[in-house]
Structures are given as structure tokens and as C-alpha cells.
Amino acid sequence: MLMVATGNKAVATAVKDARPVVVAAYPITPQTEIVEQIANFVESGEMEARYIPVESEHSSMAACIGAAATGVRAFTATSSHGLVYMCEMLHWAAGARLPIVMANANRALGPGWNIWAEHSDSLSMRDTGWLQVYVGSVQEAYDATLMAFRIAEHDDVLLPVMVNLDGFTLTHIMQQMETVELGDFLPPCTVPHAIDTANPGGYGTLTPPTEHFKFRWDIERAMRDSVGVIRETEAEFARRFGRQYAPVEEYRCEDADVVIVAMGTLGKEAEVAADVLRNEGIRAGSARIRWFRPFPAIDFGDADVVVIDRDYSFGSGGILAHELKAAGMAPYSVIAGIGGQEVTYDDIAGFVRNRIPGGEYWFGVSD
Amino acid sequence: MAEIPKEEYILRCTSACAGCSSSLVLRYILKAAGPDSVLVVPACCTSVIQGIYPNTAMNIPVYNVAFASAAAVASGMSAAFRSVGKKTNVICYAGDGGTVDIGIQALSGALERGTDFLYICYDNEAYSNTGMQRSGSTPLGAKTTTTPEGKRDAKKDLDRIVQAHNLPYMATACSAYPLDLYKKVQKALAIRGPTFIHILAPCPPGWRYPSEATIEMGKLAVKTGMWVLYEREYGKLSVTGASKGALAKPLPVGEYLTRQGRFKGIDAATIDYVQQSVRDNLARIAREVEGVC
Ligand SMILES: Cc1ncc(C[n+]2csc(CCOP(=O)(O)OP(=O)(O)O)c2C)c(N)n1
Ligand code: SF4
Ligand SMILES: [Mg+2]
């Protein structure tokens, strides 16, 4: 079905179509519309799920954990302060190997209060064992949310997935999108280690130093296996529904002398910047990182790399820039879009023109 | 005791201290609950006594969860079970710290939302797992590792907080009276919606008394009126078991306090103050039972 929707509405619609058994959530700007919409779907009978209006985000993740532990599909959505408030439970969800799906509306953290887009919230949860995908359009928010359930619940993965969409610049903008007839794209959720009172066991029992690392290694093994599951899921989605995605969306990169790397809506803006630069005779391309965990294998040959971070690791550098450095690149690291700072494609084209390989540039500060 | 099933859900190999009353009563709780039950356990002594992976002393699914999260995990678990038509009992078994302090928000939320579960707080009046630090439930005057001179604040009144949520069933119990507890667990689990039991559970190393005195310590708590056994069904209060006698004629609180090392050196004024609060509390309960409040 064709519709015009916001990013939030797209996520809520995908969740309705995925038919989770439990949704536990707490409102926070700019995610609120997702949980309101789901609560409405449930009230109106369009969705059969139990909606648990918990008293905090720590509890929304805890309730999802309790639900998923019984082997059912569970969903929540949050943003910013809500995400970091549930940090303890994010580790727990991944450690307990529960295929929970969560949407996160990327937003800055206070103080001062700031409700606008930034990636510091989700990137500060980088090492929790969650898969993370960053989307760039309303359609992609819908598609990625659906695929997230299939990937999380895959036997080789059984890890939670966080679908990230930029606060306001995606959660609140209207675009055309098309829903799908899901068919059996999403098989019924099965959790092999679900609680079974006929077959009692201990979960999360005290684990000694001789054993704990084995569970941690299992998480990493699942992360590595998820690379293939993501590829297979995206291919199957394209085969059935005609929309193709990849862990990195490359745009005019084949012959590029310089590649702009970014995530979320800035990654889309970078595509326009590449067109502008090409019109000037600069052979630019854009590579929008969609899957941040597991981090994709990337290689731009001899091209210069300009990376835009909407986040920062204080005392160290841009977080996405670090990933590229770890992959052996010497990117020009641009810090831009913090707390909703406006960044246009012209600004991005400017970053490219003025690039100093290996350097760092804080937009609005450095000049 | 003929009605208590022979099935054991805790094998005789826990790593609890000798005389640990909270693990003794858990045996009765699980017997009352039966095999179609899941125990949700936040960080506390009970997360440790189960043993070390890959072993477990528990013959029932035990879901260990983060310290603050037990009631919220139970919310999701109960919703999921009920959605797929399962009647499985969801029982939280949490310490006083995990209940009156860090877990109170999740507990309050789960109660307010009408979650179909039983929340049991075993109250050993300190953070025992981490080495006997004070909790909000530690009584006035008790020495803990963070109140070396004795606690200056009174015990938080958890039951009145829980009562304010108007749940269909709540009760208190004491490890020295397992049959009374057994019946209360059965009653609670027969009711749909949130139910709550608060158990006083003496802890030999925390309270500093010899482990063989653990039953006696519970009995003294009840006989002095320091702890009152009651239940509240749809708001209606009834005093149960040994507390009926204690309500009429309590022993002096000194007989309870002076038996425990944690109250060593407590001054006469504090004992008087505790005695007066016990008197006030018993009078309040008596008035309510008589319907004159
Ligand atoms: C968030 C968090 N803070 C602190 C701890 C450390 N901790 C584990 S158990 C515990 C005390 C538990 O006390 P209580 O709930 O009374 O149970 P008991 O140990 O007395 O059985 C503490 C402080 C923790 N596990 N998690
Ligand atoms: S410290 Fe107290 S509560 Fe903990 S196991 Fe020992 S006796 Fe039981
Ligand atoms: Mg305790």
C-alpha cells in the first residue's frame, strides 16, 4: 500500500506488520509518535500485541527481556536519555541472547536539553552487543524495521537489533512509502532457549571466570555470522519486494577520487553533495554506512575519504572516523550536525573541497 | 503439614550460609507454587545461592536479572505468557534492597499496571550479598558495614507503600512460620493480578547471631510485635498465626534486640523509641482490625 508517512509512522507501521506479542515502551521526543501510534493500533484492534506502558526505559527494556525470554517477539522504541537510561538492560538483552528489536530516534544528550539529531546516544551504546542499523529515508525506516526482526530472530544471530533514525530530520519528515504484503518473509519467532517450565534450567546463573568469556565469544561469533544473515535477508527482501539494500549504500563511488562517509540523513545529503561536486569536475562519491554493528568491510582504494561524524568521543575523536582508521584509512574527520546543527549539501561539498587528509575539522568551530 | 507436597524444587546443595532463612522459606514457596512457575531473581543472595554455572540447585526455571529490574521483567514475562494462553506463575523473589531501594520504581509500576504476578520480598534488612551494608529496610539502631554506629533512620514502611497501590492481595510472613507463608503463597497465586508478600528473613551473619538461632530470631520478631503477620484481601486486613497472640500481649522488644550483635551497644533511649513505635504500630493494626479507624 502506498502512503505518505513520517519516519516514526513508518516504524510503527512496520511493527504492526511484524505482529509482535509484546510492546513495552516509554515516551520521549522525538520518538513518542512511534509508541503513541502503536498504542493506537492496539486499542483499535489493528494490532493484537500487549502494550505495556512501563514507568521508565530501564523497565521497557526489562519488560521486553521478560517477554522475549518466553520466546515471543518483543519491540520497544526510545531515544537519547531513554536509551542511555536503559544501558544496563541493553547489555542484559544481548547477553541473554534475546532477539528484541528497538527503534532509536537519534538525539543529543543533555545538558543543556536538546531534542535534535545526534548519534552520540546510540554510538555510546556501541559495545553492548546490539546490532545497529542507521536508516536514511522513511521507506528505509519501514523496510529496515521489518528486516530487523528477521535478522535478530535468525538462529545464527539471536541478538537484539537497534534501528536508528535521525530525530526530526527523519522521525518527523513526510515522504512517500510503500508497505509490503509480508507473507512468510517473517517466520514465527522461535527462541531455542526460551523458558520452558517442563524443562527447567537456570538463566543468567553466576558464571565463573573459566566460563564467562565463552559466552562473550559466542556473542562475537553471532555478530560475525550476522554479516551473512544480513546479506541474505536484504537479498530476499529485494527478491520479494523489489527494494535493494546493502550494509553500505555506495553512490557514484566506482571512479571516485574522494568518498564522503556518513550515516543517517547526512549520508543522504552527501549524495547530493557528490552531485554538486561532480558538476564542478570533482569526482566525488558517497558511502552511507547503514550497518554500524557489525561494522562492514569497506575499501575505497586510493580515493580520499571525508568522514562526517554526528557524534564525538571526547579526548579521542569522531567515532565513525575511528572505524575508518581501524580499517587502515587516513580520513579527513569532520564533526558536524551535533545537537541538530544544520548541515546542507553545500556545507558537505565545502568539507570535501577543503579536505586535509588525516585532519580533523569541527564545523562551526574550526574556522 | 500433610498437605505440603514432597516434591523438592531446591536441591540440597545451595551455597547459602548455615541458618539462612530466606533460602529455607524459598523451599516452601516453590512447593506452594508447583512446577509451572518461573522465579525472577534480581541481584541478591538468592542469585548466588543457586550455585555456579553450569550447575544449578534449582529445579524450576530461574530467570536472573539486573538489580532494579525484577518487577519489570516479570511484567513482560507475564504479558507474554498470558498472550499465548499459558497460566505459568511468574514470581519475583527479591531482597529488601532490590525492593525498597533500587527496585521500588519498577515494583510500583508493575503493581499500578495490574500485572498478573506475585512479588515476594524477603527482608533480611540489609544488602547481604555485598557484605551487609544498610538498606532502606534496615531498622533503626542496627549496625551495618555502612552504619558502623547504628542506623540513624527508621526502617522504610514498604507495606504501606505497597498497600497504596490497592492490590487484591498482600501479606506479610516470617521465615519462622513456613506453614503460614505456604498458605499465603497459595492464596496469592490463586488470584489474578498483582499480589505481594513481604517476608522477614533473619540472616545470621548480617544480624550477628548463631545460625542455630535463626528460627528463634524470627519467632522473637513476631512475639515482640517488631514484625506482624497479616494479610490484606481486597483491602481487608486480618492478622494471622502467632501475631494474634502478640498483638494482645507482646514481649518487650529488648528480648529481640539484645539477642543480635547488630544492635550491640544500642542505648536505652533508642530501645524505648523502638518500643513506642511498636506499640503505636500494633495499636494502629488493632484499630483497623476492629474497624475503628
Ligand atoms: C545496579 C547495581 N548496583 C549495585 C549492585 C550490587 N549489588 C548486588 S546485590 C546488592 C545488594 C542486595 O541486597 P538485597 O536486595 O537486600 O538482597 P540480599 O543480598 O540481602 O539478599 C548490591 C548492592 C548491582 N548488582 N547492580
Ligand atoms: S548472607 Fe544472610 S541472606 Fe545471604 S545467604 Fe547468608 S544467611 Fe542467607
Ligand atoms: Mg537484603
Side-chain angles (χ1 to χ4, degrees):
Chain A
M1 189 180 73
L2 267 181
M3 59 196 271
V4 175
T6 61
N8 279 339
K9 178 87 185 280
V11 171
T13 306
V15 173
K16 171 169 72 69
D17 292 349
R19 298 154 58 94
V21 171
V22 170
V23 176
Y26 196 79
I28 179 168
T29 307
Q31 162 276 134
T32 309
E33 191 192 349
I34 299 177
V35 304
E36 287 175 346
Q37 189 61 247
I38 291 174
N40 276 304
F41 285 145
V42 172
E43 285 284 296
S44 68
E46 281 175 84
M47 224 176 132
E48 260 186 54
R50 297 254 180 152
Y51 180 80
I52 310 180
V54 285
E55 77 299 330
S56 79
E57 290 87 354
H58 196 277
S59 287
S60 60
M61 188 46 61
C64 285
I65 288 169
T70 74
V72 306
R73 187 169 291 156
F75 174 83
T76 189
T78 191
S79 174
S80 175
H81 289 264
L83 184 73
V84 299
Y85 193 54
M86 61 168 76
C87 172
E88 181 186 31
M89 303 319 286
L90 295 182
H91 284 274
W92 209 279
R97 303 299 301 275
L98 298 173
I100 296 162
V101 172
M102 169 166 64
N104 178 58
N106 287 110
R107 167 186 151 179
L109 287 150
W113 287 115
N114 176 301
I115 55 173
W116 292 281
E118 195 179 310
H119 293 160
S120 299
D121 55 357
S122 51
L123 290 178
S124 72
M125 298 296 121
R126 186 188 67 178
D127 301 333
T128 54
W130 282 63
L131 279 71
Q132 290 195 1
V133 62
Y134 292 75
V135 303
S137 70
V138 169
Q139 182 70 64
E140 193 185 346
Y142 175 83
D143 295 346
T145 304
L146 282 181
M147 284 188 268
F149 286 103
R150 176 162 155 152
I151 293 162
E153 292 165 13
H154 193 286
D155 257 3
D156 294 343
V157 180
L158 290 168
L159 284 173
V161 177
M162 190 189 302
V163 179
N164 291 282
L165 61 163
D166 284 330
F168 291 103
T169 55
L170 188 48
T171 57
H172 284 63
I173 58 139
M174 303 269 255
Q175 287 173 349
Q176 183 172 293
M177 61 162 263
E178 190 174 16
T179 59
V180 301
E181 282 302 326
L182 212 47
D184 59 0
F185 177 76
L186 206 50
C189 176
T190 52
V191 177
H193 53 290
I195 293 171
D196 177 5
T197 54
N199 193 4
Y203 294 81
T205 313
L206 199 66
T207 308
T210 51
E211 303 297 323
H212 195 73
F213 64 88
K214 296 178 190 168
F215 288 102
R216 290 300 170 268
W217 163 243
D218 266 350
I219 293 177
E220 173 56 14
R221 196 163 50 188
M223 263 293 175
R224 293 182 190 184
D225 288 348
S226 75
V227 173
V229 175
I230 289 168
R231 196 185 306 122
E232 177 271 324
T233 302
E234 288 174 347
E236 181 62 16
F237 191 89
R239 196 181 66 76
R240 293 190 186 218
F241 310 121
R243 288 189 292 272
Q244 178 74 58
Y245 295 96
V248 183
E249 286 294 325
E250 295 197 2
Y251 178 77
R252 304 183 84 168
C253 282
E254 317 77 48
D255 63 338
D257 294 325
V258 55
V259 174
I260 312 158
V261 178
M263 298 201 295
T265 49
L266 281 182
K268 281 282 188 199
E269 204 69 10
E271 293 176 2
V272 186
D275 290 340
V276 169
L277 290 162
R278 289 230 173 214
N279 287 342
E280 293 171 14
I282 299 173
R283 283 201 303 215
S286 152
R288 180 167 63 90
I289 307 284
R290 292 184 65 252
W291 286 93
F292 182 79
R293 284 291 178 271
F295 199 77
I298 41 174
D299 181 9
F300 305 119
D302 294 332
D304 282 358
V305 176
V306 175
V307 57
I308 305 174
D309 266 290
R310 189 164 221 163
D311 58 80
Y312 204 70
S313 174
F314 299 109
S316 181
I319 296 170
L320 193 50
H322 275 297
E323 299 287 342
L324 303 189
K325 286 175 194 166
M329 301 175 191
Y332 180 50
S333 166
V334 177
I335 312 304
I338 300 288
Q341 179 190 37
E342 187 170 328
V343 185
T344 65
Y345 56 80
D346 276 331
D347 295 324
I348 297 174
F351 304 153
V352 172
R353 285 184 213 107
N354 302 327
R355 69 188 179 278
I356 304 160
E360 184 183 281
Y361 174 78
W362 273 72
F363 182 44
V365 174
S366 295
D367 14 40
Chain B
M1 301 277 277
E3 56 171 314
I4 296 186
K6 296 214 164 25
E7 283 83 12
E8 294 293 345
Y9 301 101
I10 307 187
L11 312 174
R12 285 168 206 277
C13 52
T14 72
S15 52
C17 311
C20 172
S21 72
S22 61
S23 44
L24 287 175
V25 292
L26 183 54
R27 208 178 133 225
Y28 288 92
I29 291 166
L30 297 179
K31 281 170 181 275
D36 192 19
S37 305
V38 179
L39 207 61
V40 178
V41 179
C44 58
C45 278
T46 310
S47 36
V48 180
I49 64 153
Q50 300 157 40
I52 295 179
Y53 174 86
N55 302 308
T56 174
M58 311 295 289
N59 204 5
I60 207 155
V62 178
Y63 213 75
N64 291 289
V65 296
F67 199 14
S69 69
V73 169
S75 284
M77 202 176 273
S78 168
F81 279 139
R82 301 301 173 260
S83 291
V84 299
K86 286 189 186 162
K87 292 202 169 80
T88 308
N89 299 314
V90 177
I91 306 172
C92 290
Y93 197 59
D96 47 298
T99 304
V100 311
D101 293 337
I102 200 166
I104 192 117
Q105 171 180 315
L107 173 61
S108 175
L111 296 176
E112 179 265 330
R113 291 189 302 271
T115 308
D116 186 20
F117 80 135
L118 166 60
Y119 190 102
I120 300 177
C121 169
Y122 68 92
D123 189 352
N124 54 21
E125 303 192 319
Y127 297 161
S128 295
N129 172 290
T130 40
M132 320 303 173
Q133 296 82 24
R134 124 204 235 287
S135 81
S137 205
T138 300
L140 181 73
K143 292 191 170 71
T144 67
T145 51
T146 50
T147 54
E149 296 299 316
K151 193 185 176 208
R152 293 199 178 89
D153 313 294
K155 182 179 172 82
K156 193 189 277 191
D157 194 342
L158 171 65
D159 299 316
R160 285 165 86 187
I161 297 172
V162 170
Q163 189 193 330
H165 293 78
N166 296 316
L167 49 167
Y169 182 85
M170 63 180 284
T172 58
C174 172
S175 58
Y177 303 96
L179 194 59
D180 176 72
L181 169 63
Y182 181 86
K183 288 188 209 148
K184 287 170 175 170
V185 173
Q186 281 193 320
K187 217 174 210 179
L189 288 174
I191 291 171
R192 260 190 95 103
T195 53
F196 174 84
I197 300 177
H198 186 185
I199 308 172
L200 184 72
C203 159
W207 297 15
R208 302 184 217 166
Y209 63 82
S211 54
E212 60 275 14
T214 213
I215 301 298
E216 196 191 346
M217 219 48 71
K219 288 194 168 162
L220 279 172
V222 170
K223 286 181 180 162
T224 54
M226 288 285 296
W227 189 257
V228 183
L229 305 175
Y230 67 79
E231 58 188 357
R232 213 176 254 290
E233 287 174 87
Y234 299 97
K236 188 172 170 1
L237 176 72
S238 38
V239 173
T240 65
S243 280
K244 289 179 191 160
L247 211 59
K249 211 164 178 276
L251 296 178
V253 294
E255 293 197 24
Y256 172 71
L257 301 177
T258 54
R259 295 288 302 278
Q260 303 169 39
R262 62 176 173 158
F263 293 113
K264 197 168 171 211
I266 191 170
D267 56 29
T270 309
I271 296 183
D272 282 350
Y273 183 83
V274 173
Q275 185 66 70
Q276 190 51 47
S277 351
V278 166
R279 242 179 248 131
D280 292 348
N281 190 41
L282 295 183
R284 188 171 58 82
I285 289 171
R287 276 199 308 276
E288 190 183 337
V289 170
E290 287 158 19
V292 289
C293 62

